[in-house]
């Protein structure tokens, strides 16, 4: 720290933090694709009735594509081993042992999801990847050794960096303008309402830090917000764990249920995507749910969620000032968190997403984009499949239910999330219905 108490930027995070390595792995893939070193990932083919030469499940993986599938797995394996070498060297051995099975489970999801008749009803590899993971986690339970390669955040963040390549920057600007209305308009309202409700209605006056952590977890983005705001409010580890546990349970429920609700209400993909992006706590779960509704919903949901993620640093900074001045009765100058925390706590994969969009929007010719984008998009989709398998493997409903203590914390989350869902739905319809703003689709 400096003499003023202001923290400095820790530049070693560029090669020591997983969040940055999601960016570097994504750009290594993009660079390899642009240079022609990496070709489109070889994955199971579409199969089913009427598919010449692939009528049965065996037609999904003909012998001639097996070497390509193995190379795809080795490439992904090598890049993530490189990331772990710098961020978590002690975890490489466990990753090496477990990755082949995670890769095989993702391939199984691809095979099932490529059954042509089921895809007509939206039952694609995304849904089956989640189902495969949930089936294992909630029956035989996820084996301990397998958890070494359950790297949900790393897979999904790298995939999101790659996703940026497929979204033109002018579209991000257009979606971002409307996304600000959903994310930055609703989020502070929900945060303030939930904290007020905890103090005035639930009388959680001896649990101010817990109340704030649950409020931020619900209104912003789950685990990341819980950790950042927990540190800012000096919450106990048990309080942060409780908030995360409640969030994890309902994140899985919402990830599965919200797309069904979007269809039941007859919302457009853009409206549905904005609704998902503004309400589901986890970025990975937002991508999973958006993927179930199609590419348009996925784009909107991802952009809205990333705009909301940007608020993490600002909210953590504001909470730190509030608790220092109002709860601990210090002066503003005595607050231990400075503006640099906004940078330190902001998710870094957002910069990779925007950087990829800038490259494919302005740096490459149309011919290069047309050749490269299918390669990048293929890896992005498969990394999402691996991430959804991992989400399922991490989601044991019985174990998560045990961690949730009844009473006021659960009531606070439920009331706040219902308020969040209703308010975000209104904002999503207003900004993304096309009635008041032009959509870039």
């Amino acid at each position: 720290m400096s003499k003023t108490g202001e923290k400095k930027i820790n530049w070693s995070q560029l090669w020591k933090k997983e969040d940055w390595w999601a960016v570097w792995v994504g750009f290594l893939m993009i660079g390899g694709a642009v240079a022609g070193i990496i070709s489109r990932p070889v994955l199971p083919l579409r199969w089913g009735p009427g598919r010449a030469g692939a009528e049965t499940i065996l037609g999904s993986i003909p012998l001639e594509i097996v070497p390509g599938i193995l190379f795809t797995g080795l490439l992904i394996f090598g890049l993530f081993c490189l990331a772990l070498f710098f961020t978590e060297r002690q975890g490489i051995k466990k990753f090496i042992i477990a990755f082949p099975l995670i890769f095989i489970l993702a391939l199984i999801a691809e095979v099932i999801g490529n059954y042509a008749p089921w895809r007509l009803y939206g039952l694609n590899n995304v849904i089956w990847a989640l189902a495969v993971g949930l089936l294992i986690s909630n029956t035989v339970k996820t084996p301990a050794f397998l958890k070494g390669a359950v790297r949900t955040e790393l897979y999904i963040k790298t995939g999101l960096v790659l996703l940026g390549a497929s979204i033109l920057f002018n579209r991000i600007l257009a979606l971002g303008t409307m996304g600000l209305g959903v994310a930055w308009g609703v989020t502070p309202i929900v945060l303030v309402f939930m904290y007020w409700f905890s103090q005035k209605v639930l009388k959680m006056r001896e649990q101010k830090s817990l109340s704030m952590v649950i409020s931020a977890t619900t209104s912003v983005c789950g685990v990341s917000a819980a950790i950042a705001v927990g540190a800012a409010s000096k919450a106990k580890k048990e309080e942060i764990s409780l908030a995360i546990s409640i969030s994890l349970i309902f994140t899985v429920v919402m990830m599965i249920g919200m797309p069904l609700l979007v269809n039941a209400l007859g919302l457009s993909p853009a409206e549905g995507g904005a609704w998902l992006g503004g309400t589901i706590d986890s970025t990975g779960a937002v991508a999973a749910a958006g993927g179930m509704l199609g590419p348009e919903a996925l784009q909107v949901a991802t952009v809205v969620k990333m705009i909301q993620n940007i608020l993490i640093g600002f909210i953590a900074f504001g909470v730190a000032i509030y608790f220092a001045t109002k709860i601990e009765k210090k002066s503003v100058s005595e607050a231990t968190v400075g503006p640099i925390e906004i940078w330190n706590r902001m998710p870094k994969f957002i910069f990779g997403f925007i950087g990829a969009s800038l490259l494919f929007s302005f740096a490459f010719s149309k011919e290069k984009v047309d050749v490269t984008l299918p390669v990048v998009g293929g890896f992005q989709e498969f990394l999402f499949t691996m991430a959804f398998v991992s989400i399922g493997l991490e989601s044991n409903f019985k174990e998560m239910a045990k961690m949730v203590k009844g009473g006021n914390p659960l009531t606070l989350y439920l009331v706040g999330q219902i308020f969040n869902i209703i308010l975000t739905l209104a904002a999503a319809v207003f900004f993304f219905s096309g009635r008041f703003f032009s959509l870039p689709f």
Side-chain angles (χ1 to χ4, degrees):
M1 283 192 185
S2 64
K3 293 181 179 180
T4 61
E6 174 66 31
K7 289 184 179 179
K8 296 180 179 179
I9 295 177
N10 182 2
W11 294 106
S12 67
Q13 291 184 359
L14 289 171
W15 62 88
K16 289 183 177 180
K17 293 295 183 181
E18 178 182 285
D19 219 24
W20 275 116
W21 269 100
V23 177
W24 308 143
V25 171
F27 274 91
L28 284 171
M29 287 184 168
I30 290 173
V34 171
I37 300 172
I38 299 175
S39 58
R40 188 167 185 167
V42 180
L43 298 170
L45 308 175
R46 194 74 55 88
W47 63 282
R51 309 289 298 188
E55 292 85 359
T56 67
I57 194 170
L58 294 177
S60 180
I61 306 182
L63 289 177
E64 59 266 23
I65 73 168
V66 171
I69 291 176
L70 292 176
F71 178 78
T72 296
L74 286 171
L75 176 63
I76 295 172
F77 170 75
L79 288 172
F80 286 128
C81 275
L82 178 64
L84 291 176
F85 178 81
F86 287 96
T87 62
E88 192 183 332
R89 196 169 303 181
Q90 68 276 14
I92 291 182
K93 183 177 179 180
K94 293 179 180 179
F95 182 80
I96 291 172
I97 295 172
F99 179 84
L101 190 49
I102 295 291
F103 183 70
I104 290 171
L105 292 175
L107 289 178
I108 291 172
E110 290 279 343
V111 170
I112 301 174
N114 275 328
Y115 182 55
W118 287 347
R119 290 186 72 92
L120 294 175
Y121 299 97
L123 298 175
N124 55 23
N125 56 299
V126 170
I127 296 174
W128 290 111
L130 180 63
V132 167
L134 287 172
L135 179 64
I136 294 172
S137 178
N138 291 277
T139 53
V140 299
K141 292 189 177 181
T142 303
F145 84 90
L146 196 57
K147 295 179 181 179
V150 176
R151 304 277 175 170
T152 303
E153 291 295 313
L154 184 56
Y155 300 147
I156 200 71
K157 289 175 181 177
T158 305
L160 288 170
V161 171
L162 298 179
L163 178 64
S166 65
I167 305 178
L168 295 179
F169 191 69
N170 60 354
R171 180 172 292 183
I172 290 180
L173 292 177
L175 291 176
T177 301
M178 295 177 286
L180 282 171
V182 176
W184 288 28
V186 173
T187 299
I189 295 174
V190 174
L191 178 71
V192 172
F193 166 77
M194 288 185 67
Y195 188 71
W196 171 87
F197 186 80
S198 72
Q199 301 302 298
K200 301 298 183 181
V201 180
L202 299 179
K203 310 296 182 183
M204 297 173 65
R205 289 165 186 162
E206 301 301 317
Q207 298 176 300
K208 287 183 171 62
S209 56
L210 173 62
S211 301
M212 184 60 78
V213 172
I214 293 176
S215 301
T217 302
T218 309
S219 61
V220 190
C221 66
V223 175
S224 298
I227 294 171
V229 172
S233 62
K234 296 183 178 178
K236 299 175 183 177
K237 290 182 180 180
E238 295 79 8
E239 293 175 328
I240 297 174
S241 296
L242 176 58
I244 290 173
S245 299
I246 295 173
S247 173
L248 287 175
I249 290 176
F250 288 97
T251 293
V252 175
V253 173
M254 291 176 68
M255 177 175 61
I256 298 171
M258 290 285 286
L260 299 176
L261 195 55
V262 167
N263 290 328
L265 293 175
L267 299 177
S268 69
E271 291 170 318
W275 195 26
L276 299 178
T279 53
I280 298 178
D281 292 339
S282 163
T283 303
V286 166
M292 295 178 190
L293 295 175
E296 185 179 322
L298 173 60
Q299 288 187 22
V300 175
T302 301
V303 171
V304 169
K305 194 64 186 177
M306 284 194 293
I307 291 171
Q308 192 178 61
N309 283 341
I310 294 172
L311 279 176
I312 294 175
F314 292 95
I315 286 177
F317 174 69
V319 168
I321 296 297
Y322 173 79
F323 267 74
T325 57
K326 299 296 183 181
I327 308 302
E328 300 171 22
K329 304 299 182 182
K330 297 179 180 178
S331 65
V332 174
S333 62
E334 293 177 301
T336 58
V337 177
I340 199 67
E341 292 299 311
I342 294 174
W343 165 262
N344 289 337
R345 293 174 181 178
M346 188 180 296
K348 305 306 185 294
F349 74 91
I350 293 173
F351 300 110
F353 178 92
I354 294 174
S357 176
L358 286 170
L359 283 176
F360 279 77
S361 298
F362 305 113
F364 302 143
S365 66
K366 183 180 183 303
E367 292 74 17
K368 178 62 72 174
V369 169
D370 290 342
V371 172
T372 306
L373 202 54
V375 179
V376 174
F379 278 103
Q380 171 251 307
E381 291 176 5
F382 188 67
L383 288 178
F384 276 13
T385 301
M386 292 177 59
F388 303 151
V389 168
S390 298
I391 290 172
L393 291 172
E394 290 179 309
S395 305
N396 183 284
F397 295 115
K398 289 183 179 180
E399 291 181 1
M400 288 192 295
K402 290 177 183 178
M403 293 188 290
V404 177
K405 302 173 184 177
N408 287 340
L410 186 59
T411 301
L412 175 60
Y413 179 87
L414 290 172
V415 171
Q417 190 62 277
I418 291 171
F419 179 67
N420 186 27
I421 287 171
I422 294 172
L423 198 60
T424 304
L425 174 60
V429 171
F430 179 77
F431 286 102
F432 286 90
S433 65
R435 300 188 189 101
F436 306 101
F437 301 89
S438 299
L439 298 175
F441 296 106

